[in-house]
Amino acid sequence: MNFFQRHSRTILLITTIGFLFGAFVGFGGYYFTRGWRADTVATVNNKKIFYHTYLNYLQRVINNLREQNQDITEELIRQKKQEILSDLIQEEIFYQEAKKYGVKVSEEELIADIQHFPAFQRDNRFDRNTYFQVLHYALRMTPEEFEESRRRTIAIAKLRSLVASSIKISTKELELAYLEEKGDLKNYFRDYETFRQNYFSQKTVLVFNEWFQQLGRQAKVKVYLEERERGG
């Protein structure tokens, strides 16, 4: 119990870090199909998402809700199940796309990423024993599972950066956007840098959403959750 109390906040951070992509909208693209597979909750272009992976995420989310003293109703659990499944499907789609673009994650990048987590540190330095303890007792993951998860997250982040780098904004486009929002251009040069950054962020989100929706429509996704739970 002392271990969980010391690391509760950082454990929550690690648990939720894989679900950032749920903020993007419009991911239809998948359908439910008859016939469940004992070890599979869904497939994305014939690539399996394992049922035990889904269950591990679900258990961690429920544990976090309990730590926050939230009322865990059946409706809330149903909602979290769908969110987790959607996030896992989206992650797989993005990861497959990253591999298609040739995005790679080196061992050095992976090691640096893992050592950066405060939950794995002792006296502000990475501690191997603490790392294994957090994975085993808090996250219920093997080092191999966690490291593969982080590798996927890093690859997807690289892909997002690649897409963002292709977004261009012309001077005329920026002036028209400023004029539409402010009504005139008298403070345009004073507000230029802040407005440009905000506009770029908004356009990036728009481009990402459109791109993700397109990927979702193209992906061949089958979901076995209902059949899997009935079978279990």
Side-chain angles (χ1 to χ4, degrees):
M1 291 302 296
N2 290 335
F3 176 83
F4 282 106
Q5 290 171 359
R6 288 199 307 272
H7 296 286
S8 60
R9 290 186 179 180
T10 46
I11 289 169
L12 175 61
L13 172 63
I14 296 172
T15 302
T16 57
I17 202 167
F19 296 99
L20 298 179
F21 300 104
F24 296 101
V25 297
F27 242 93
Y30 63 84
Y31 59 92
F32 291 85
T33 184
R34 296 180 62 84
W36 59 274
R37 301 294 183 271
D39 62 344
T40 309
V41 70
T43 58
V44 178
N45 298 323
N46 295 320
K47 177 69 174 178
K48 289 183 177 181
I49 297 174
F50 291 106
Y51 187 60
H52 76 269
T53 302
Y54 160 82
L55 288 180
N56 284 343
Y57 274 109
L58 178 62
Q59 188 58 57
R60 290 198 294 274
V61 168
I62 292 174
N63 289 341
N64 286 329
L65 292 173
R66 289 196 179 113
E67 289 180 6
Q68 298 169 30
N69 295 319
Q70 292 198 30
D71 184 21
I72 303 177
T73 63
E74 291 186 5
E75 178 60 31
L76 180 59
I77 292 177
R78 281 195 296 270
Q79 175 188 336
K80 294 303 178 183
K81 283 182 175 182
Q82 292 302 316
E83 289 176 359
I84 291 168
L85 181 59
S86 177
D87 286 337
L88 289 172
I89 290 171
Q90 290 183 36
E91 180 192 70
E92 182 59 38
I93 291 173
F94 302 147
Y95 188 54
Q96 290 182 17
E97 194 70 10
K99 290 194 292 185
K100 187 186 302 183
Y101 276 81
V103 175
K104 298 184 183 299
V105 179
S106 69
E107 289 300 313
E108 292 76 12
E109 288 176 301
L110 181 61
I111 291 171
D113 173 80
I114 292 172
Q115 291 182 343
H116 178 73
F117 279 96
F120 303 145
Q121 296 178 2
R122 187 173 183 179
D123 298 327
N124 295 321
R125 296 184 63 181
F126 177 77
D127 182 75
R128 193 177 186 85
N129 290 333
T130 301
Y131 174 61
F132 290 143
Q133 284 183 319
V134 172
L135 292 187
H136 180 74
Y137 293 107
L139 299 181
R140 299 185 182 277
M141 300 175 74
T142 67
E144 292 79 11
E145 288 172 333
F146 180 74
E147 288 162 18
E148 174 61 18
S149 174
R150 294 307 304 159
R151 192 185 302 276
R152 294 163 70 92
T153 299
I154 296 169
I156 292 168
K158 283 186 171 185
L159 180 62
R160 286 163 53 90
S161 296
L162 182 64
V163 174
S165 68
S166 68
I167 299 173
K168 307 299 180 185
I169 300 175
S170 68
T171 301
K172 188 64 175 178
E173 178 184 358
L174 196 62
E175 287 180 355
L176 290 175
Y178 186 92
L179 182 62
E180 182 178 355
E181 181 174 321
K182 305 293 185 179
D184 58 60
L185 296 174
K186 64 180 182 179
N187 294 320
Y188 176 71
F189 292 105
R190 184 197 68 184
D191 300 336
Y192 175 80
E193 189 58 33
T194 299
F195 185 81
R196 187 190 66 81
Q197 291 178 4
N198 291 337
Y199 183 77
F200 180 80
S201 296
Q202 294 171 8
K203 185 171 182 178
T204 300
V205 170
L206 179 62
V207 170
F208 281 157
N209 275 320
E210 291 176 350
W211 181 55
F212 293 157
Q213 290 180 46
Q214 181 180 3
L215 290 179
R217 289 191 294 268
Q218 293 173 349
K220 297 178 180 179
V221 182
K222 298 180 181 180
V223 175
Y224 302 100
L225 179 59
E226 294 181 358
E227 290 81 0
R228 178 64 185 86
E229 292 188 334
R230 283 201 301 268

